[in-house]
Amino acid sequence: MTNTSSSYPAGWYVDVNAPGTERYYDGTAWTDQSRPMSTVPAQPTKTTTSKAPWFKRKAIVIPVGIVAGLIVLGSIGSALGGGKGGATEASEKQVAVAAPVTEEVVAADAVVPETTGLTAKEAAALLENAGLEAEFSAVKGVVIDRDNWTVLSTTPAAGATAKEGDTVVVNVEKKAAAAEAEAAPAPAEPAKPAMTTAQSSAVRSAESYLSFKGFSRAGLTEQLTSEYGEGFAAEDAEFAIAYLESAGKVDWNNEAAEAAKSYLDFKGFSRDGLYEQLTSEYGEQFTPEQAEFALSAVGL
């Protein structure tokens, strides 16, 4: 250590190793005495040395002394701090440690499975099991319902080696049945039978009678053909009634129930009396089955 006794008189000086404190210098070496830094700088102790006080020396000497003092203070601080220097060195060593090297993961090989003739759904499952991705390609249409598409080929072809995660293009076509069903036009509505003027008139008359009261099939036929009724020819009346039946515009059970209700609204009837009125050839001429339905419907 450089002897700086000729440059510094004994006294309290700022401790660079402990900010906010001062350490006592006895004129030859630094002591273990320290104290909080005073607000008023301490005046250096006068000595009997024959040399002029340090603050009266030539200006060029003062900076040199300060530099030498800083070097000494730094050396003493390192000696006193002991463990601090070791910590700094350890910290520097930690910074110098190289980061671990990350090994590059190489994708494993995967063999493209044979999928020709399978459905697109089955092909996708096989490719997924092999570690590959499937991308479907079709000349016509969009592959949505994979059960209705058949695999024609793949790119790369079956048996080729690829890397896990690679995409395999699956060429597909729509199944014949599904394609035909899509291409087939919607079934045309059945053409309405051509009617003669007499037939059309008979249909309108039959509909009008049925909206007025309950009629049996026999009773409506008689009403349409009677000379006291509409006077239609028997074949035109039959055409009109058959047309209404095929179109679902008449239900004879409901007609019987409507007729039974009309009779009960007019006067009281026993069950047998109303049954006779509904089935008699002089009455409504409903069939026995239709009359039984009507009696049940009105609560008899």
Side-chain angles (χ1 to χ4, degrees):
M1 179 182 300
T2 304
N3 186 357
T4 60
S5 60
S6 61
S7 300
Y8 287 87
W12 292 94
Y13 295 91
V14 176
D15 190 347
V16 296
N17 292 302
T21 63
E22 298 175 326
R23 187 173 296 279
Y24 187 77
Y25 183 70
D26 61 6
T28 58
W30 293 98
T31 68
D32 292 331
Q33 300 179 55
S34 64
R35 70 181 183 184
M37 183 183 295
S38 61
T39 56
V40 179
Q43 296 296 325
T45 305
K46 294 183 179 180
T47 64
T48 57
T49 180
S50 61
K51 294 182 179 180
W54 65 274
F55 54 84
K56 290 185 179 181
R57 295 175 193 165
K58 293 181 180 180
I60 194 170
V61 176
I62 294 175
V64 173
I66 294 175
V67 172
L70 292 175
I71 294 174
V72 172
L73 290 175
S75 300
I76 294 172
S78 298
L80 294 175
K84 295 181 179 178
T88 302
E89 183 180 356
S91 176
E92 291 176 352
K93 288 182 179 179
Q94 290 178 359
V95 172
V97 174
V101 177
T102 303
E103 294 184 1
E104 183 179 356
V105 179
V106 180
D109 289 339
V111 178
V112 179
E114 178 60 69
T115 56
T116 303
L118 301 179
T119 64
K121 183 177 181 179
E122 294 168 337
L126 277 179
L127 290 168
E128 182 179 348
N129 290 337
L132 300 169
E133 299 290 334
E135 178 181 322
F136 295 99
S137 175
V139 176
K140 295 176 60 178
V142 179
V143 182
I144 298 177
D145 184 1
R146 296 182 178 180
D147 286 325
N148 287 331
W149 294 82
T150 303
V151 177
L152 300 177
S153 62
T154 59
T155 305
T161 301
K163 297 294 183 183
E164 285 190 358
D166 283 356
T167 298
V168 175
V169 177
V170 184
N171 304 304
V172 296
E173 70 174 356
K174 197 103 176 190
K175 286 184 177 180
E180 290 176 1
E182 285 188 359
E189 294 184 2
K192 294 181 179 179
M195 297 183 189
T196 63
T197 302
Q199 290 172 339
S200 178
S201 296
V203 169
R204 291 199 303 272
S205 293
E207 289 176 330
S208 178
Y209 278 117
L210 290 173
S211 65
F212 174 69
K213 65 179 290 290
F215 275 92
S216 66
R217 196 180 198 284
L220 185 57
T221 301
E222 183 176 342
Q223 185 66 39
L224 291 174
T225 57
S226 169
E227 60 178 320
Y228 303 106
E230 298 299 322
F232 287 106
E235 57 270 22
D236 292 334
E238 177 59 29
F239 175 89
I241 293 174
Y243 174 81
L244 295 178
E245 289 175 333
S246 65
K249 294 184 176 183
V250 62
D251 184 323
W252 301 118
N253 283 334
N254 289 339
E255 292 296 318
E258 186 178 341
K261 186 176 182 302
S262 297
Y263 277 115
L264 289 175
D265 288 342
F266 176 69
K267 63 182 292 288
F269 277 90
S270 66
R271 191 180 195 282
D272 290 342
L274 185 54
Y275 178 86
E276 178 69 20
Q277 186 65 39
L278 292 174
T279 57
S280 169
E281 60 177 322
Y282 302 107
E284 298 299 327
Q285 303 179 60
F286 285 104
T287 65
E289 293 79 13
Q290 293 165 357
E292 289 291 342
F293 178 90
L295 294 174
S296 298
V298 297
L300 291 178

